[in-house]
Amino acid sequence: MIATGLGEGPAARRVPPPPAATSIVLDCDTGIDDSMAIALGAGSGARFVACTTTHGNVPAATAGRNTVTVLDALGLTDVPVHVGAHRPMAQDLLTAEWVHGQDGLGDAGVAQSSRPVSGDLAPAEIVRLARQHPGELTLVAVGPLTNLGLALLMAPDLPGLVRNVVVMGGAVNTAGNASAVGEANVWHDPEAAQLVVGAAWDLTVVGLEITMRTAMPTVAIARIEASTDPRAQLVARVFQHYLGVYEPIVGERTCVLHDPLAMALALEPDLASYRLVRAGIELRGELSRGQVVADTRGFEPDPTDPTEPGVVRFVDTLDVERFHAMFLDALGA
Ligand code: RIB
Ligand code: CA
């Protein structure tokens, strides 16, 4: 099945996919679907250079502990984890334990790793790694964008040092999930999101307009639950709580795959087709703060340069079956 994301505007013009990631720094707020994204990456041979964590689903320190726990459970015991921003730039901290469980991993009793995480300086680590591997890193961000925003403030040359950026965030021309029009990762820190959208890098944004089309068939859920593969068993444990959250939304005991889709597109960008669109984040609207406003009117010539500040590559269409197959394959399910 081919799902439509942004939708064909009157002057819809597709652009090539972003480059496939070879080395990833994952910025996350782990989080049930963050865990599923790590599992997808691990099972697809992704090379994780480091993970950095932010506030969002849970406090940043909890996200750090969860990230190291998931990495270790998947055998990625040598991937360093750095905790970063503990709160947004210009609003109060809000977390979402009702979606992810009190422990952020679905309250499934997953034993925490005791491996140390580095404290508090994730944005500096992102900059350091980008300087160490110029032109090589793909930043995959699946939580609020505070760490990336801070890294941009610290190092204005950061956009020229990374290969590309893939963000899960936003809701273009569709309902939000944190407010009527705001998606959680953008809504949790709109100022940081605007810094990321306004930077001169190759930015792909994977929003609710496409991730809400990725609900797994119930037979796929059953395959994950029945699998003896340790990756599938980890996901089957942590996603029970998430299935309960999504059941009334989707109408079946299943869930959508927000963060796993961003990881999949970082690794296999040709799962989707794309459009380049000018976009910005609403920062002042009383009802619309944190909305991604994308100019899909088609009156103006479409942009052609993905590195133009304010230009975003959005998903136009997605091969959902191929994405689900990739996810199941990565889990050994
Ligand atoms: O809106 C979905 C996003 O918000 C996902 O990244 C989820 O983990 C939460 O952070
Ligand atoms: Ca997330």
Side-chain angles (χ1 to χ4, degrees), residues 27-35 57 100 141-144 168 183 185 258-259:
D27 190 60
C28 50
D29 58 338
T30 314
I32 294 173
D33 62 324
D34 307 71
S35 308
N57 294 326
H100 296 269
V142 295
M168 190 281 130
E183 179 282 332
N185 290 340
H258 301 297
D259 294 350

Side-chain angles (χ1 to χ4, degrees), residues 145-146 149 185-187 189-198 203 281:
L145 294 159
T146 319
N185 290 340
V186 173
W187 183 85
D189 195 340
E191 278 73 17
Q194 179 54 42
L195 287 169
V196 169
V197 168
L203 173 65
I281 312 299

